[in-house]
Amino acid sequence: MGKMSAQPALKETESKTALDSVQTIPQLIRHNYERWRQGTAMCMKQFGVWQRHSWADYYQNVKHLSLGLISLGLQPGDVTCIIGDNEPEWFWGEFATQAAGGIATGIYVDSIPSEVKYIAEKAQAKFAIVNDQEQTDKFLEIKSELPRLKKVIYWDLKGLRNYDDPILISFTEVIKLGKEYESAHPGLFEENVAKGKGDDTACIYFTSGTTGLPKGALLTHRALINTARGFVSRFPLSVKDDLISNFPAAWVGDSFFATVPHLLTGARLNFPEEPETIAEDTREVGPNFAIYGPRQWESLVREIQVKMMDAHPLKRFAYRLFMPVGHKIADIHFKGEEPSLFWRTLHGIAYLCLFRPLRDRLGLSKVRFAVTGSSVLSLDTFRLIHAIGVELRQSYASTEAGFISSHSKGEVQFESLGRPALGTEVRITNEGELLVRSAAMFSGYFQEPAKTAATLKEGWCHTGDAVHINEDGHIIFMDRMEHMGELRTGIKYAPQYIEGRLRFSPYIKDAMVIGGKDKEFVSAILNIDFTMVGKWAERRHIPYTTFVDLSQKTEVADLVRQDLNRVNSYLPEGSRVRKFVLLHKEFDPDEAELTRTRKLRREFMETRYKTLIDALYGESGEVAVEAPVTYRDGRKGVVSTVIKVRSV
């Protein structure tokens, strides 16, 4: 890409000794500045061109922004909230706050003003650092309700030149203030960085709120650095490697698996130009390490399937011919065996004809290893990624417990979450709950001592996850303790496992599995993938007008039933899905049905769709609903429809 620069070599012993004394994230930045200075730290694509930021640029921006914040009144312990797309300024704002002894907290970019207010108010934020006009407007709307807020600092000037609210100040102006403050207070920044301690709180990460309002988890510098060290011990990175910053910066997973590993190893962190250009920009960068959430991996697989449906007949033939070869090789490796000469030769041909161009299209051409985490990944998705030659490994972490486990090289068991991480102790209670103890755990919940005491007991973090450990020492995740289902018959079932398997279907976008002690069998509420099912219907000349209309077609129900039968074939007899409904709309985070990381808010959903659930277990066989719709010509309206209960 013409944007790389070689990093100067340093003796391993010298590097290790220097790193041993590092306790905080700002000290890591100082260490990298002293070590690599003109080496490339970050690259940001702007106007189609990759802009390079050296470690010297990095350090100076953090330094002057930190001093600028101090000049505006930031004191040790004060909180800065940050909202915006993944860009260098987001992270410089976080690290500048920490260098001054402050605490950073991120807010998801698609949060509505009431959600922004909840976090800013709960965290008692004194400053806000925002991306653009959209995020600035959110704070201007709620500023009267945030009396502690002193300044809103924006880094993208577009649309803001005529704003004159005194609470606003540009990122550039704060940098300028910092340079002036340095002249009057030479050496202050260096003193602040040097006196930082590992036990200082670095960030407040607000949990996704699957069981209620988000809680603010306090993570120290030590916890974040130890989590990243454990991760890098399993996934060794170096200054020669490229990473893509594609996780929401407000999510703790970004620190665990991208930002802090980047600081520990010097691997370059690359920022796509826009969220919409991630796929294209990732392909340009050719990262050596790829980490996506389950839904992103499932989206990649869905993209493969969509492209194959519309591909030239010759390409479809190659896909059908060679994909079984990839699956065969993957299955051999899963068993810990080596393929024969015949299969290696066949796989070499398949790689040249199919897998290499496919990996290139997906931006995975240079990937040495790939990771998934956050929630259960469909096993079929996992197997397909391995089939195209990418060693995808499961990782298991939580905001509270840090990095818990992962697969090691050559030890991939796709039904497991791997072995416990370096320095991590695990214990399983009689009820099946996983307890974790390590130096990567959180300190507690912000201003919530009762909830902290319920999670941290006698030095152990109670994860709330139901797991078991197999004979190879691998952790097998079942579900959250409160979500592990039990039917009236006493049969246990794992909703997330079933949902993950269902989402592998190109025709099913989302699924929620229903059961319980008062129920005799498992059922499901399903969302169709409107694009995929629409194409399928058009090819078969099945007329439809809207999402609502298409979702209730008998032909569509028959199509989805095939996937349910496929998933049921993997399940024990008693835990198979017996009935289902196709919902007339998609699950929507704006209606609080999903969290901002697109996890189901299960308790809320069970209340919201109680009538539908009652019908699944009753005799009526259908439910009448009214729903807002948008027609293909843009017109909006409300339609009445009947959702039918169907048997598998």
Side-chain angles (χ1 to χ4, degrees):
M1 291 185 297
K3 63 182 181 66
M4 309 304 179
S5 69
Q7 312 278 34
L10 195 71
K11 291 181 181 177
E12 185 63 31
T13 52
E14 183 184 344
S15 169
K16 190 175 187 306
T17 302
L19 266 177
D20 285 344
S21 65
V22 168
Q23 294 189 54
T24 70
I25 289 171
Q27 287 170 13
L28 265 179
I29 295 168
R30 181 191 61 194
H31 170 266
N32 293 346
Y33 162 67
E34 292 170 349
R35 186 180 185 189
W36 292 309
R37 210 155 293 218
Q38 295 307 315
T40 302
M42 288 177 164
C43 296
M44 172 75 193
K45 194 175 186 184
Q46 292 178 305
F47 308 111
V49 178
W50 288 96
Q51 307 292 331
R52 169 187 171 271
H53 294 286
S54 68
W55 285 105
D57 297 334
Y58 201 134
Y59 182 79
Q60 294 299 326
N61 276 294
V62 170
K63 175 181 183 178
H64 294 129
L65 184 62
S66 182
L67 293 172
L69 287 168
I70 292 171
S71 74
L72 291 170
L74 182 72
Q75 297 177 354
D78 284 346
V79 174
T80 298
C81 55
I82 311 172
I83 182 170
D85 294 330
N86 288 28
E87 296 182 8
E89 289 85 352
W90 206 107
F91 300 95
W92 294 338
E94 176 185 349
F95 305 147
T97 298
Q98 294 165 349
I103 303 166
T105 187
I107 303 174
Y108 289 103
V109 70
D110 56 354
S111 297
I112 59 177
S114 61
E115 293 170 330
V116 173
K117 174 182 174 290
Y118 174 82
I119 291 177
E121 186 175 53
K122 178 80 174 174
Q124 302 173 5
K126 200 168 182 179
F127 292 90
I129 298 177
V130 305
N131 190 167
D132 53 16
Q133 184 180 19
E134 178 188 358
Q135 308 304 340
T136 301
D137 287 341
K138 292 176 185 178
F139 276 95
L140 291 180
E141 182 179 327
I142 60 175
K143 67 171 186 174
S144 61
E145 303 172 71
L146 299 171
R148 291 175 177 268
L149 191 66
K150 293 175 70 71
K151 286 289 180 184
V152 175
I153 302 161
Y154 57 89
W155 73 78
D156 186 343
L157 296 173
K158 188 176 180 181
L160 290 165
R161 295 187 187 279
N162 296 323
Y163 280 46
D164 58 1
D165 194 299
I167 202 171
L168 300 179
I169 185 171
S170 75
F171 201 90
T172 306
E173 288 179 80
V174 180
I175 293 280
K176 184 180 177 182
L177 288 175
K179 290 177 179 177
E180 294 170 358
Y181 200 77
E182 183 184 24
S183 298
H185 303 81
L188 177 62
F189 176 77
E190 290 74 15
E191 290 173 21
N192 287 342
V193 171
K195 70 184 180 185
K197 302 297 180 188
D199 289 330
D200 294 342
T201 299
C203 296
I204 305 174
Y205 288 102
F206 281 85
T207 58
S208 55
T210 52
T211 56
L213 290 172
K215 302 184 292 291
L218 300 169
L219 270 80
T220 64
H221 292 273
R222 176 175 284 110
L224 288 169
I225 291 172
N226 281 329
T227 295
R229 279 182 172 143
F231 183 72
V232 169
S233 73
R234 289 277 168 90
F235 303 92
L237 299 168
S238 76
V239 294
K240 298 177 181 178
D241 289 324
D242 278 288
L243 309 177
I244 287 285
S245 181
N246 63 338
F247 280 142
W251 183 46
V252 70
D254 177 84
S255 289
F256 284 179
F257 307 133
T259 307
V260 184
H262 140 76
L263 291 173
L264 275 175
T265 64
R268 291 175 291 269
L269 198 57
N270 297 275
F271 299 91
E273 187 159 14
E274 299 289 346
E276 297 77 20
T277 65
I278 286 177
E280 178 188 338
D281 295 342
T282 298
R283 189 181 176 196
E284 282 188 30
V285 171
N288 306 99
F289 171 64
I291 178 163
Y292 299 125
R295 289 182 186 261
Q296 289 169 297
W297 285 114
E298 287 164 5
S299 177
L300 281 178
V301 168
R302 194 184 302 273
E303 182 184 340
I304 292 171
Q305 293 169 331
V306 170
K307 288 183 183 301
M308 284 303 115
M309 288 175 69
D310 296 331
H312 186 277
L314 190 60
K315 289 184 178 179
R316 286 206 301 273
F317 173 75
Y319 182 81
R320 294 191 183 111
L321 179 66
F322 291 123
M323 190 53 72
V325 176
H327 280 125
K328 176 69 175 179
I329 295 294
D331 291 341
I332 291 172
H333 286 151
F334 288 147
K335 292 175 184 176
E337 300 171 358
E338 284 298 318
S340 66
L341 177 61
F342 169 79
W343 282 110
R344 289 202 305 272
T345 304
L346 206 55
H347 185 259
I349 298 169
Y351 182 79
L352 290 172
C353 295
L354 178 64
F355 302 143
R356 186 168 69 178
L358 194 55
R359 286 178 59 171
D360 180 60
R361 290 289 300 172
L362 298 174
L364 302 173
S365 59
K366 298 179 184 177
V367 166
R368 293 203 312 280
F369 36 69
V371 176
T372 182
S374 175
S375 62
V376 176
L377 177 68
S378 155
L379 303 188
D380 299 298
T381 300
F382 197 88
R383 187 165 172 257
L384 190 146
I385 296 297
H386 274 265
I388 66 173
V390 174
E391 186 179 301
L392 178 61
R393 308 187 210 167
Q394 279 275 13
S395 282
Y396 176 32
S398 74
T399 307
E400 293 84 355
F403 182 50
I404 299 170
S405 69
S406 75
H407 294 144
S408 298
K409 186 172 180 61
E411 291 188 342
V412 176
Q413 298 180 8
F414 60 73
E415 73 280 7
S416 85
L417 300 172
R419 293 180 293 103
L422 182 70
T424 298
E425 298 177 74
V426 298
R427 176 190 292 176
I428 299 177
T429 66
N430 293 335
E431 294 76 29
E433 182 184 9
L434 176 70
L435 310 186
V436 175
R437 183 165 66 184
S438 76
M441 298 189 311
F442 84 134
S443 307
Y445 294 113
F446 184 58
Q447 296 187 338
E448 299 199 50
K451 290 179 180 177
T452 299
T455 303
L456 293 176
K457 299 177 185 176
E458 299 178 354
W460 291 88
C461 178
H462 289 240
T463 65
D465 290 340
V467 307
H468 75 270
I469 296 178
N470 69 13
E471 60 276 10
D472 297 320
H474 285 234
I475 295 174
I476 310 295
F477 177 81
M478 303 300 292
D479 210 327
R480 294 289 295 167
M481 288 291 291
E482 68 265 29
H483 295 154
M484 193 68 181
E486 182 178 343
L487 299 173
R488 185 181 295 165
T489 58
I491 291 173
K492 297 277 188 179
Y493 67 99
Q496 284 195 49
Y497 176 85
I498 300 172
E499 288 160 0
R501 301 286 289 206
L502 287 171
R503 282 199 304 270
F504 176 72
S505 165
Y507 305 114
I508 298 173
K509 186 168 187 178
D510 247 320
M512 182 174 124
V513 168
I514 310 295
K517 290 185 177 180
D518 60 337
K519 296 177 173 62
E520 297 282 348
F521 59 86
V522 177
S523 62
I525 298 174
L526 306 177
N527 281 164
I528 62 169
D529 186 299
F530 186 55
T531 302
M532 290 296 291
V533 176
K535 286 184 178 181
W536 177 88
E538 287 165 7
R539 280 198 301 273
R540 284 156 181 77
H541 308 291
I542 299 170
Y544 67 94
T545 54
T546 63
F547 186 109
V548 177
D549 180 34
L550 182 63
S551 69
Q552 301 309 309
K553 294 284 185 186
T554 301
E555 297 91 337
V556 172
D558 291 340
L559 175 69
V560 170
R561 190 178 284 110
Q562 293 175 24
D563 279 305
L564 280 162
N565 283 325
R566 172 184 58 81
V567 172
N568 276 343
S569 71
Y570 300 126
L571 300 172
E573 178 71 26
S575 62
R576 292 176 179 173
V577 177
R578 299 297 181 195
K579 290 186 179 181
F580 70 100
V581 293
L582 298 177
L583 200 62
H584 59 289
K585 59 179 280 298
E586 291 188 2
F587 297 154
D588 191 346
D590 288 337
E591 295 180 18
E593 295 174 343
L594 303 174
T595 69
R596 290 295 167 185
T597 52
R598 298 199 66 80
K599 294 179 184 176
L600 291 169
R601 298 188 70 219
R602 202 173 295 271
E603 291 178 13
F604 175 84
M605 297 273 276
E606 287 176 357
T607 301
R608 179 164 196 164
Y609 293 112
K610 184 178 185 303
T611 305
L612 208 52
I613 293 170
D614 289 344
L616 280 163
Y617 294 93
E619 301 296 329
S620 66
E622 58 183 38
V623 176
V625 297
E626 285 192 345
V629 298
T630 301
Y631 294 94
R632 293 204 218 181
D633 60 5
R635 291 182 297 115
K636 296 182 183 293
V638 176
V639 300
S640 298
T641 191
V642 172
I643 298 179
K644 296 178 182 178
V645 176
R646 317 206 185 240
S647 298
V648 182

